[in-house]
């Protein structure tokens, strides 16, 4: 059991967010299975208040990129604080987001703030942010396990995603995740993780 836990840590510790994607195709079945893995996450009252929209259509990806870059430009030129911009410098990011078109898939995670049944009746969902956050973690893990890379992209605000994908009124965008293979010469920041002592207390 100890070895199994170590092996898992060593594998997941290799996961990195990536911004340089190859346009190499990824089979739809792979994406279907990582979404199914995400749906195994726990949720409040088992409401499963999530929707995963998988986008591969080039025209739709282009529209998403244009809308995202508009919001990102505003972010980098006024919305974001100086401290935030300074914290981002080591990652070399800016408002240009070519990966939104180049990555073969975009998975847009929506949270369902309430549920609408087949009769149009509205029902409560519980711990929505927590549940969808857990499912997103499961999704990223499944993507890594499949041998692919991903980026958790959060243009702010993200309401344009609901418009571009014609989502119903009970859904709000939560994450925009490009998925695919890394570019052949892709690089990632040389980051370190906090030590066990920094992230845990033992009682």
């Amino acid at each position: 059991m100890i070895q199994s836990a170590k092996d898992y840590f060593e594998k997941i510790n290799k996961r990195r967010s990536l911004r340089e994607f190859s346009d190499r195709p990824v089979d739809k079945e792979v994406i279907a299975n990582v979404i199914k893995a995400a749906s195994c996450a726990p949720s409040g009252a088992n409401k499963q208040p999530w929707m995963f929209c998988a986008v591969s259509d080039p025209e739709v990806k282009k529209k998403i990129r244009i809308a995202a870059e508009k919001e990102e430009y505003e972010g980098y030129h006024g919305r974001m604080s100086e401290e935030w911009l300074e914290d981002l410098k080591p990652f070399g990011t800016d408002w240009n987001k070519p990966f939104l078109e180049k990555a073969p898939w975009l998975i847009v995670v929506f949270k369902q703030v309430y549920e609408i049944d087949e009769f149009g009746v509205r029902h409560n969902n519980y711990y929505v942010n927590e549940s969808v956050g857990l499912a997103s973690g499961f999704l990223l893990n499944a993507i890594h396990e499949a041998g692919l890379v991903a980026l958790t992209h959060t243009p702010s605000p993200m309401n344009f995603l609901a418009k571009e994908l014609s989502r119903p009124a009970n859904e709000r965008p939560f994450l925009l995740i490009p998925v695919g293979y890394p570019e052949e010469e892709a690089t990632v920041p040389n980051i370190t993780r906090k030590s066990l002592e920094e992230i845990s207390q033992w009682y």
Side-chain angles (χ1 to χ4, degrees):
M1 189 181 292
I2 291 173
Q3 188 59 50
S4 178
K6 284 182 178 178
D7 290 345
Y8 177 79
F9 165 70
E10 287 174 3
K11 185 167 188 176
I12 199 64
N13 191 38
K14 294 176 182 176
R15 192 208 63 78
R16 293 290 186 277
S17 295
L18 190 121
R19 292 173 174 82
E20 299 171 22
F21 288 84
S22 166
D23 58 5
R24 178 182 169 189
V26 174
D27 195 285
K28 181 179 179 180
E29 188 174 357
V30 175
I31 302 302
N33 279 304
V34 299
I35 290 173
K36 287 194 292 184
S39 75
C40 297
S43 61
N46 195 38
K47 288 284 191 167
Q48 304 168 62
W50 44 63
M51 178 61 65
F52 302 92
C53 295
V55 181
S56 63
D57 184 289
E59 285 303 312
V60 179
K61 289 195 295 181
K62 183 176 182 178
K63 288 179 181 178
I64 288 174
R65 177 186 178 182
I66 290 170
E69 287 185 335
K70 180 178 181 296
E71 299 297 349
E72 290 286 270
Y73 184 87
E74 295 294 330
Y76 278 87
H77 295 84
R79 287 180 185 160
M80 299 162 74
S81 68
E82 288 300 319
E83 182 179 9
W84 191 350
L85 292 171
E86 192 66 28
D87 286 340
L88 287 174
K89 279 185 178 179
F91 303 97
T93 64
D94 60 23
W95 62 272
N96 292 285
K97 307 299 176 185
F99 52 76
L100 293 176
E101 281 192 90
K102 192 167 186 182
W105 290 94
L106 303 178
I107 300 179
V108 187
V109 183
F110 286 88
K111 61 181 182 181
Q112 297 177 333
V113 293
Y114 56 88
E115 187 179 282
I116 304 174
D117 67 21
E118 57 186 312
F119 304 106
V121 178
R122 178 170 167 168
H123 301 277
N124 290 333
N125 284 332
Y126 311 102
Y127 300 105
V128 172
N129 286 331
E130 294 86 347
S131 300
V132 179
L134 287 164
S136 298
F138 275 43
L139 178 65
L140 292 170
N141 190 25
I143 291 167
H144 180 70
E145 186 71 23
L148 299 172
V149 293
L151 174 69
T152 50
H153 183 45
T154 52
S156 180
M158 291 197 288
N159 296 332
F160 68 89
L161 290 166
K163 179 182 177 183
E164 294 295 344
L165 299 177
S166 302
R167 301 312 305 162
N170 67 320
E171 293 184 5
R172 307 282 187 276
F174 189 81
L175 277 176
L176 171 55
I177 306 177
V179 180
Y181 292 98
E183 189 67 88
E184 192 169 327
E185 298 298 325
T187 59
V188 295
N190 185 21
I191 62 170
T192 58
R193 305 196 193 280
K194 291 182 178 180
S195 68
L196 180 62
E197 291 71 26
E198 292 175 287
I199 65 168
S200 64
Q201 289 288 327
W202 299 75
Y203 297 89

